Amino acid sequence: PNQLLHQKIQEIEKGTHFDVLGLHWICVTADVEKGFAEQSKSIELLKGKDEFYLIRSGLQEAYETLKEPESRREYRGRLFHSSYHEQAALILSQKAENAIGSDKTLACGCFAKAIELCPNVATYKEGLKRAALS
């Protein structure tokens, strides 16, 4: 518990909201929900310690920032230049194209993340539709 306590406080004080929830910067709403639930459960062992409330507050702040796509995109935009978003979305869409026909879940997930990063790119939305029908 002491190592977990120290790690969580470090993430809250020096990390990003993605770090606090144990997420990759390319995440979607379902990832945020899952990360928040898992992190909240993991700190239950710390209940009663003064630091518990600091950590819970940090988790809640990260969750509130990341739970909605628009606020998550805005926050991500402050951390990473748009060229990172575009490059990652392109790689994800290529991975999705390769998975169409063989792994529908992977293809849909990659297109969804590409859309998360670049919501105005029509080819990613079209790809998601094709993947969902495959």
Side-chain angles (χ1 to χ4, degrees):
N2 284 343
Q3 185 177 7
L4 173 65
L5 182 73
H6 180 71
Q7 178 186 342
K8 282 288 151 207
I9 290 172
Q10 287 291 104
E11 289 169 354
I12 289 166
E13 291 178 346
K14 298 181 180 174
T16 68
H17 290 321
F18 298 108
D19 298 329
V20 171
L21 296 180
L23 301 172
H24 191 278
W25 70 276
I26 304 171
C27 63
V28 294
T29 302
D31 300 325
V32 174
E33 297 291 338
K34 183 178 178 186
F36 179 69
E38 288 175 357
Q39 295 299 318
S40 294
K41 185 177 179 182
S42 76
I43 66 163
E44 285 301 310
L45 299 171
L46 305 174
K47 220 172 198 171
K49 295 185 182 270
D50 292 338
E51 295 89 344
F52 171 80
Y53 300 101
L54 169 73
I55 294 170
R56 188 172 70 180
S57 173
L59 288 174
Q60 191 65 42
E61 179 183 343
Y63 175 72
E64 291 299 323
T65 301
L66 300 179
K67 72 178 182 177
E68 298 294 331
E70 288 305 316
S71 61
R72 186 170 53 250
R73 285 186 195 107
E74 190 272 325
Y75 179 73
R76 187 184 291 122
R78 286 187 277 147
L79 297 176
F80 304 101
H81 189 271
S82 62
S83 63
Y84 285 105
H85 301 203
E86 294 160 7
Q87 185 175 8
L90 182 60
I91 292 167
L92 285 162
S93 72
Q94 291 168 344
K95 186 175 179 179
E97 289 292 348
N98 291 334
I100 288 178
S102 62
D103 190 338
K104 180 179 182 173
T105 303
L106 177 63
C108 289
C110 287
F111 275 126
K113 287 183 177 183
I115 293 166
E116 167 78 20
L117 294 172
C118 297
N120 298 321
V121 177
T123 55
Y124 300 154
K125 293 175 184 175
E126 293 161 10
L128 180 57
K129 289 177 187 173
R130 281 188 295 107
L133 296 173
S134 68

